[in-house]
Amino acid sequence: MMLRIENILTKEEVRQFRELMDKAEWVDGNATAGTQSSLAKRNMQLPEASPLARQLGDAILEALTRNNTFLSAALPAKIFPPLFNRYEGGQGFGNHVDNSIRQIRGTAHRIRTDLSMTLFLSEPEDYDGGELVVEDTYGTHVVKLPAGDMVLYPSTSLHRVTPVTRGARVASFFWLQSMVRDEGERTLLFQLDNSIQKLAAERGLKDEAVIELTGVYHNLLRRWAEA
Ligand code: NI
């Protein structure tokens, strides 16, 4: 399932991010690429361990923990500290699949990448190209979102970023390990949760069917999740 989540960051937060990022020093993006993807990757990144990347990454993680749509769709167990990239002057990233396991730099922690996220930090009208193109079993999806919005997609998908031919495309990108490894099970839980929320809004939390379905949701989660 691919999902767009709007307003992870407000426009004011995006403005503050960009003010700090636009003054920062950027390094070659191949710092975080695997051997195969380094052949396809042409962009710049904020250094992974830089205080600014940490500070902005923490602000994103905080925003995500307040976002019920994200929590319900991703059921995150571990989130990789967000990274930041910038494409300009014809830079792009050819087709690739993200590495399956990522070590969190400077720690012994590893995560399995179940979901990939891109949080857009440039407005679409400020650059040409720079579309995120994701291929899955339903076809090819082209994603270019307003600043502050995020897309979440299965890390198993082949994807690319088309060359940026005008302006700059600035974004945060990161991965997470979900409590529910299986994409189909995770999608069913998200759909069930959405239906329960709708029903609860109509009938109230004390409604018998709402209580029973909430029980079903938790019992499926208990069955499928690794906490
Ligand atoms: Ni990628």
Side-chain angles (χ1 to χ4, degrees), residues 26-45 84-96 130 159-165 167-169 173:
W26 294 72
V27 296
D28 190 319
N30 276 323
T32 57
T35 317
Q36 187 251 325
S37 62
S38 71
L39 299 172
K41 186 176 187 182
R42 286 176 301 123
N43 67 8
M44 302 296 281
Q45 278 179 206
F84 299 87
N85 61 14
R86 176 183 196 107
Y87 297 80
E88 58 192 330
Q91 290 178 322
F93 198 160
N95 255 344
H96 66 281
H159 59 279
R160 62 183 178 273
V161 176
T162 63
V164 172
T165 54
R169 176 200 196 266
F173 66 105

Side-chain angles (χ1 to χ4, degrees), residues 20-179:
L20 295 167
M21 294 170 82
D22 291 349
K23 302 192 288 224
E25 212 168 299
W26 294 72
V27 296
D28 190 319
N30 276 323
T32 57
T35 317
Q36 187 251 325
S37 62
S38 71
L39 299 172
K41 186 176 187 182
R42 286 176 301 123
N43 67 8
M44 302 296 281
Q45 278 179 206
L46 284 185
E48 207 174 327
S50 72
L52 180 61
R54 291 279 170 82
Q55 176 198 335
L56 300 180
D58 286 347
I60 292 173
L61 294 179
E62 210 180 289
L64 290 176
T65 58
R66 291 191 303 259
N67 191 293
N68 288 333
T69 306
F70 167 76
L71 296 174
S72 174
L75 296 166
K78 301 187 228 173
I79 307 180
F80 193 90
L83 301 172
F84 299 87
N85 61 14
R86 176 183 196 107
Y87 297 80
E88 58 192 330
Q91 290 178 322
F93 198 160
N95 255 344
H96 66 281
V97 169
D98 293 341
N99 285 357
S100 49
I101 305 289
R102 297 206 83 106
Q103 181 124 16
I104 298 174
R105 180 162 292 200
T107 74
H109 299 295
R110 282 191 299 263
I111 75 160
R112 182 187 66 235
T113 56
D114 294 322
L115 288 169
S116 299
M117 274 73 60
T118 298
L119 170 58
F120 289 77
L121 296 170
S122 295
E123 295 296 353
E125 59 271 22
D126 291 343
Y127 59 101
D128 289 335
E131 288 94 359
L132 171 67
V133 181
V134 182
E135 293 173 18
D136 65 17
T137 48
Y138 295 101
T140 300
H141 310 271
V142 179
V143 185
K144 187 169 180 176
L145 302 180
D149 289 8
M150 185 174 84
V151 64
L152 179 152
Y153 58 97
S155 301
T156 49
S157 324
L158 198 61
H159 59 279
R160 62 183 178 273
V161 176
T162 63
V164 172
T165 54
R166 178 186 63 89
R169 176 200 196 266
V170 178
S172 174
F173 66 105
F174 51 107
W175 305 271
L176 65 82
Q177 178 172 326
S178 176
M179 291 188 285

